[in-house]
Amino acid sequence: MEGSPGEQGGKERTVTRGADRSPETGRGRPTGLRSVAGQVFALQAIIALLLIAAAAFALVLQDRYDSERNARNRSLAVAETFAHAPGLAEALRSEDPTAALQPRAEAARLGAGVDFVAVLSPDGARFTDSDPSLIGQRAQGDLDRARAGESFTEVFHGAPNDAVRAVVPVVGEDGTVVGIVTSGIEVATVGDSVEARLPLLFGAAGVALALALGGAALVSGRLRRQTHGLGPAEMTRLKEHHEAVLHSVKEGVVIIGGDGRLLLANDEARRLLKLPADAERRDVRELGLEPRTAALLLSGRAATDEVHLAGDRLLAVNVRPTGDRAGGSVMTVRDTTELSALTGRAEVARGRLRLLYEAGTRIGTTLDVVRTAEELSEVAVPRFADFVTVELLDPVMRGQEPSGAYTEMRRTALTGVRPETPLQPVGDLIRFVVPTTPMASALDEGRAVLQADLASAQGWRAQDPEGAAQALAYGLHSLLTVPLLARGVVLGMANFWRGNETPEPFGEEDLSFAEELAARAALAIDNARRFTREHSMAVALQRSLLPRVLPEQNAMRVSYRYLPAKAGVGGDWFDVIPLPGARVALVVGDVVGHGLHAAATMGRLRTAVANFSTLDLPPEELLTHLDELIDRLGEENEPGRERDGEADGDGDGGVEGTAGATCLYAIYDPTTGVCTMASAGHPGPALVRPDGSVEFPALPAGLPLGLGLGDRPFASARLRLEPDSKLVLFTDGLLEDRHRDYDTGLALLRRTLAQPGRTPEQTCADVLAALLFPVPSDDIALLVASARRIPQDRIAEWEVPSDPSAVAPVRNAAAARLAEWGLEDVGFTAELVLSELITNAIRYGRPPVRIRLVYDRVLICEVSDGSSTSPHLRHATDTDEGGRGLFLVAQFAQRWGTRYARRGKTIWAELPVSPDGGADPAAPLLDPDALEDLAW
């Protein structure tokens, strides 16, 4: 087709106007039933009328049949009921059966809604009838079957009226027929019931006919708009003209719909593009087109004479949008292979074009510097060169900025048509010490340098005479060297070699291609270098922010694993925090995003959790404070936000805001075995019982931190852990990836954990062996904690009456318990601390006052009361009579603090215990009785 798409459309419109001027109508367009739309409407109307008439007739017959069947059933039921009524046989043998049975028969007729109920003698004489004048007369019809003991129904024709009746014998006790009962409904009554429903039936048929005609009218109107009112002859002629014009031209025409599917393709397009026979209505990406051609058709943009590959042909492609609402496009293709053949370079151009296209898709598939260099060498061999070497500066390979002398580079990639080669292997340091070598000239000039004949390259041979001689003996005869430049900075060098496999040396026409190939590779290498630098910085920052060793504590045996993502460091973190009262807190969290910002945010959140934990808050309150902190940090980092009364002057939009995060915080108490945990959008833990059973406890749903999704409070859940049961905390990177969904990973984790008798360290190793991806796309944090219990004989509790005189007995009982534990050396200090804490709880607190001693790594003294007032440390003056009690507690205790409960508080103090069970011998000796009166 020689015309443009616009011209083609003009031709089609001309054909249409010719069809409109058909002499069949006299005015250019059929009307009424002569058009396709009118004929379709008439056909639909006739079919609808016939179907509705047939349906109405069938319904009338069915209704009459149903009415008659209902009359039979009702008559038979009435007759059988009356015939089997108690006392009927005795009444028939009485002297006056009519007097005994006529009232009962009338009552049965009226109650059952039938037209008559008659009782007959075996010979057919009526004892009862709804018409008294018929009593005594003989009933008509065949009654022999009833006399024989058979019940039946029939349509009776005769006097007094035609009826649907049932005939039932009355059998006496001796088995003989002593009478006959007939019951029925007159035929006229049955017909009346059918006729009463005819108006409704005909009305429904009329409505159905109206709906059918309305639907036919809508379809006809739609068809009339689509066919423009043309008749069958005009549409046939228009189709013939369309086919003749479309398939006779020598230019391919392809029409693509807005959904990316092929709507139409002429014969030439099928030949040039090698389309399959069933190409229509298939997606463009399924037609086997070149990726660049398919991308152009799906992009929706216009194109003029773009050269595309189609197998071994070069096609000139023109694309124009159709301009309709669907958003499709029309493409014309023209074979230009013959034109390229006239220049003598079509084959080379096609090969280079394909090679550049492949280079764009194959180079830079990973963000790895070495792999990108290898991809450059693999793309060029063997279609452009027989051997390719790539050398990079050492700082570039480490992800650093290029620096130092460009005369020394590290060989990073080597690819050839044969495995053996005289070139230096990968890893060697390559030096360009002779300035006249092609490599040195290319670096100085910043462009590609061609050495068509290596035998005449004196500078190259002088740099390494022995190696040059081996290369020439091997058959290498031509070299093209290109510096790898990205953003004006030299990253390395690519050398293209030809040997015996390609006798033709490199030419001037190869320089631009080599520079284009090297430019693409250099940009990919620089991107990989930048990523390597950022990844290394993020990993270093992340490692510095995560715990190096776990703190010492006896509540749980804990093992952990942490693996950063290969593609980019994320913000996952974990922590193990010892708490007062021999308790321990387990934390896992996940910051949204990857990179330096996510790692820095993770460090801030981990520090915040550690600080909030010193307040000894319940898990749900700690998450609330953490959420408020993230919101506050996000407000501080909002772009354009004024700080200290001054707006940002640079107008750069400020720094990046704090990302959202999830967190799971759990507190385990080894004295009770209770674990309290709360989640802020984080996956719940796995609980492994000592017998190997695995469950995933349900936690109250909490919103992620810092997303501003509402003020819904966090809630906590309580679990009781058996000794040696394991609590497994993890981040979602362990379970899900683009190749596995979360539920599948959860099922695999359950199977892996369901093995009893393993230590936390073994559990960590097994879980990673089963669930770890070869290249994880997200960070993985895994924490396995095995629960321990403090023996009950190392816990002592007392309840103290609200009387200062009760202090001494409790103190003595505590001293006795310490003696049982072998802690006599720390007994004096413990008595002193207990005296101060109990005395002040009685004075200033509220009952009940309780005491608890826990012997763990340290001796823990706890005094609880019902008051929420917190004591504070102060320094008494020389003239003060009190105020030194808490100061003394702070001096003798290793740590002390206050823990609040829902009702009241607990003041605790930890006393150091020497490995042999004693206390510090240098501690001063004081009289606890003399200190009981000291105030806080």
Side-chain angles (χ1 to χ4, degrees):
M1 181 179 287
E2 300 298 326
S4 65
E7 293 171 348
Q8 298 165 19
K11 292 179 181 179
E12 292 184 4
R13 288 194 294 271
T14 302
V15 173
T16 303
R17 287 195 296 269
D20 291 345
R21 291 193 296 269
S22 173
E24 296 182 13
T25 63
R27 291 190 295 176
R29 182 169 298 176
T31 58
L33 294 179
R34 298 182 61 184
S35 66
V36 173
Q39 294 177 9
V40 170
F41 173 78
L43 180 61
Q44 288 181 326
I46 293 172
I47 293 175
L49 182 60
L50 293 177
L51 290 177
I52 293 173
F57 181 73
L59 288 175
V60 170
L61 293 180
Q62 182 66 34
D63 194 17
R64 186 171 187 83
Y65 172 77
D66 291 342
S67 298
E68 182 178 329
R69 183 177 60 181
N70 183 53
R72 287 175 178 268
N73 294 336
R74 188 151 40 121
S75 300
L76 182 61
V78 173
E80 287 185 342
T81 302
F82 196 85
H84 297 139
L88 181 62
E90 289 77 5
L92 288 172
R93 292 190 179 97
S94 64
E95 295 181 357
D96 190 1
T98 299
L101 297 177
Q102 178 67 13
R104 295 171 59 183
E106 280 301 298
R109 180 182 69 82
L110 295 176
V114 296
D115 291 337
F116 64 89
V117 175
V119 181
L120 313 178
S121 64
D123 59 357
R126 289 187 176 88
F127 290 138
T128 69
D129 197 276
S130 56
D131 185 0
S133 63
L134 297 178
I135 296 175
Q137 298 182 12
R138 187 174 303 277
Q140 297 183 9
D142 184 12
L143 302 178
D144 293 340
R145 295 165 60 187
R147 295 188 188 99
E150 178 184 356
S151 299
F152 63 92
T153 61
E154 64 179 355
V155 179
F156 171 75
H157 297 283
N161 293 302
D162 295 344
V164 177
R165 74 177 183 178
V167 181
V168 177
V170 180
V171 180
E173 294 180 356
D174 55 356
T176 61
V177 176
V178 298
I180 299 173
V181 176
T182 64
S183 173
I185 299 175
E186 296 179 358
V187 173
T189 303
V190 174
D192 291 343
S193 64
V194 174
E195 292 174 359
R197 287 190 288 272
L198 288 179
L200 177 62
L201 179 62
F202 289 144
V207 171
L209 181 60
L211 292 176
L213 293 177
L218 293 176
V219 173
S220 177
R222 178 66 180 272
L223 185 60
R224 181 177 290 106
R225 290 191 297 272
Q226 293 181 344
T227 61
H228 302 284
L230 296 178
E234 285 76 11
M235 294 191 64
T236 302
R237 187 160 45 253
L238 181 61
K239 174 66 174 177
E240 292 173 351
H241 293 172
H242 170 75
E243 294 291 338
V245 173
L246 185 64
H247 297 291
S248 63
V249 297
K250 298 300 292 182
E251 192 171 44
V253 179
V254 176
I255 300 178
I256 305 298
D259 57 353
R261 296 183 180 275
L262 177 66
L263 301 181
L264 183 144
N266 67 350
D267 296 339
E268 185 68 8
R270 291 178 179 273
R271 184 183 70 84
L272 294 176
L273 299 176
K274 297 181 180 179
L275 298 177
D278 58 344
E280 278 77 5
R281 303 309 304 171
R282 290 177 60 180
D283 193 275
V284 171
R285 289 162 292 199
E286 301 175 358
L287 300 179
L289 300 177
E290 290 292 326
R292 183 164 169 255
T293 306
L296 174 62
L297 289 175
L298 295 175
S299 66
R301 66 178 179 87
T304 302
D305 288 336
E306 286 192 9
V307 178
H308 288 248
L309 287 172
D312 57 349
R313 295 180 177 273
L314 289 176
L315 304 180
V317 177
N318 294 274
V319 179
R320 294 292 184 273
T322 57
D324 55 9
R325 295 182 179 178
S329 59
V330 177
M331 180 182 75
T332 62
V333 293
R334 186 171 62 254
D335 189 359
T336 62
T337 307
E338 291 77 7
L339 296 177
S340 301
L342 295 177
T343 65
R345 301 182 181 277
E347 189 65 30
V348 176
R350 285 198 300 270
R352 298 292 167 78
L353 183 63
R354 184 183 296 274
L355 188 56
L356 282 178
Y357 174 76
E358 290 185 7
T361 58
R362 292 176 57 184
I363 298 177
T365 58
T366 65
L367 291 173
D368 183 82
V369 174
V370 175
R371 180 56 192 154
T372 305
E374 293 173 349
E375 290 169 344
L376 168 59
S377 64
E378 293 168 357
V379 165
V381 175
R383 287 184 291 174
F384 182 66
D386 296 332
F387 294 90
V388 176
T389 61
V390 180
E391 292 81 38
L392 298 177
L393 296 171
D394 279 341
V396 174
M397 299 181 65
R398 296 192 298 269
Q400 301 173 3
E401 291 290 338
S403 61
Y406 295 150
T407 57
E408 291 187 358
M409 296 184 184
R410 185 75 58 181
R411 177 148 293 172
T412 310
L414 170 59
T415 302
V417 293
R418 285 177 285 175
E420 70 280 355
T421 173
L423 302 173
Q424 291 178 254
V426 173
D428 278 11
L429 188 64
I430 310 298
R431 294 182 175 89
F432 311 117
V433 295
V434 179
T436 58
T437 61
M439 295 80 167
S441 299
L443 290 174
D444 291 339
E445 299 175 9
R447 62 180 180 84
V449 172
L450 170 65
Q451 184 65 54
D453 184 10
L454 283 176
S456 62
Q458 299 301 324
W460 173 71
R461 300 183 67 173
Q463 179 173 267
D464 184 8
E466 183 180 354
Q470 293 178 358
L472 292 174
Y474 185 78
L476 298 182
H477 60 80
S478 185
L479 168 66
L480 199 161
T481 179
V482 189
L484 298 176
L485 298 171
R487 302 176 178 91
V489 178
V490 175
L491 305 177
M493 173 167 290
N495 297 305
F496 303 92
W497 310 78
R498 282 185 179 177
N500 295 331
E501 288 77 6
T502 309
E504 181 184 357
F506 288 110
E508 294 293 333
E509 67 277 4
D510 296 318
L511 289 175
S512 59
F513 172 78
E515 289 179 341
E516 175 67 20
L517 187 62
R520 297 189 181 192
L523 185 60
I525 290 173
D526 191 53
N527 290 336
R529 178 191 65 81
R530 291 170 178 263
F531 171 79
T532 301
R533 180 183 60 182
E534 181 179 348
H535 183 75
S536 300
M537 294 171 59
V539 169
L541 175 62
Q542 187 183 52
R543 288 176 177 174
S544 67
L545 296 175
L546 289 172
R548 297 295 183 91
V549 295
L550 298 182
E552 296 182 357
Q553 46 84 29
N554 289 345
M556 285 183 157
R557 289 181 298 171
V558 183
S559 294
Y560 69 93
R561 292 289 189 276
Y562 189 91
L563 297 177
K566 296 296 183 182
V569 175
D572 293 14
W573 90 92
F574 68 94
D575 212 344
V576 178
I577 306 172
L579 298 178
R583 297 169 302 144
V584 64
L586 304 177
V587 190
V588 290
D590 187 359
V591 176
V592 176
H594 293 82
L596 287 173
H597 176 68
T601 303
M602 175 271 292
R604 301 171 79 175
L605 294 183
R606 178 176 174 251
T607 302
V609 171
N611 290 335
F612 286 141
S613 66
T614 60
L615 302 177
D616 214 348
L617 299 173
E620 65 274 13
E621 293 186 18
L622 185 141
L623 292 180
T624 300
H625 287 292
L626 194 62
D627 187 43
E628 294 173 353
L629 173 64
I630 295 181
D631 289 339
R632 186 163 61 252
L633 293 177
E635 293 174 358
E636 294 175 357
N637 294 332
E638 286 181 1
R641 185 179 179 86
E642 295 186 0
R643 298 177 178 88
D644 299 330
E646 297 181 0
D648 295 336
D650 53 3
D652 61 355
V655 297
E656 186 177 0
T658 302
T662 63
C663 182
L664 177 64
Y665 187 83
I667 297 177
Y668 174 67
D669 188 350
T671 62
T672 62
V674 173
C675 182
T676 306
M677 62 184 71
S679 171
H682 197 85
L687 177 60
V688 184
R689 303 289 184 185
D691 59 358
S693 60
V694 181
E695 63 179 277
F696 295 92
L699 299 183
L703 298 175
L705 303 171
L707 297 186
L709 299 180
D711 297 329
R712 181 177 177 181
F714 296 100
S716 61
R718 292 167 60 89
L719 299 175
R720 186 171 297 277
L721 305 184
E722 305 172 34
D724 295 328
S725 60
K726 290 186 286 291
L727 199 63
V728 181
L729 288 72
F730 52 87
T731 55
D732 54 5
L734 177 68
L735 303 183
E736 61 182 351
D737 192 79
R738 56 181 175 271
H739 304 298
R740 184 176 67 202
D741 58 22
Y742 184 85
D743 292 336
T744 303
L746 204 64
L748 183 57
L749 177 62
R750 180 190 295 272
R751 291 195 299 269
T752 306
L753 293 176
Q755 299 181 23
R758 293 181 301 171
T759 65
E761 184 66 23
Q762 293 171 338
T763 301
C764 287
D766 292 345
V767 168
L768 289 187
L771 280 83
L772 184 62
F773 295 97
V775 182
S777 58
D778 196 4
D779 290 10
I780 296 175
L782 175 65
L783 204 63
V784 179
S786 178
R788 292 176 171 177
R789 287 283 186 90
I790 296 179
Q792 291 299 316
D793 58 0
R794 287 202 170 196
I795 302 174
E797 297 181 282
W798 298 274
E799 185 165 347
V800 183
S802 299
D803 186 357
S805 62
V807 176
V810 173
R811 187 179 63 221
N812 295 335
R817 181 57 61 92
L818 294 178
E820 295 177 6
W821 292 342
L823 301 179
E824 293 89 346
D825 293 340
V826 80
F828 172 78
T829 305
E831 291 182 43
L832 172 63
V833 171
L834 285 176
S835 296
E836 293 304 323
L837 297 181
I838 297 173
T839 301
N840 286 278
I842 294 174
R843 287 183 177 180
Y844 305 110
R846 295 179 181 175
V849 178
R850 294 185 176 87
I851 311 301
R852 188 173 74 161
L853 294 180
V854 179
Y855 179 21
D856 191 41
R857 301 175 64 89
V858 295
L859 178 62
I860 304 170
C861 303
E862 296 180 348
V863 177
S864 305
D865 66 83
S867 173
S868 298
T869 303
S870 175
H872 62 278
L873 179 66
R874 66 187 182 92
H875 296 273
T877 63
D878 295 338
T879 59
D880 288 341
E881 296 182 0
R884 298 176 177 84
L886 198 56
F887 177 77
L888 292 175
V889 172
Q891 293 297 314
F892 283 98
Q894 179 176 294
R895 292 194 307 165
W896 73 277
T898 304
R899 180 171 66 249
Y900 293 95
R902 292 185 178 180
R903 295 181 181 179
K905 65 178 181 299
T906 299
I907 303 175
W908 54 269
E910 295 181 355
L911 304 181
V913 178
S914 61
D916 56 358
D920 185 2
L925 298 178
L926 300 176
D927 183 7
D929 293 327
L931 298 174
E932 289 182 2
D933 296 332
L934 294 179
W936 291 78

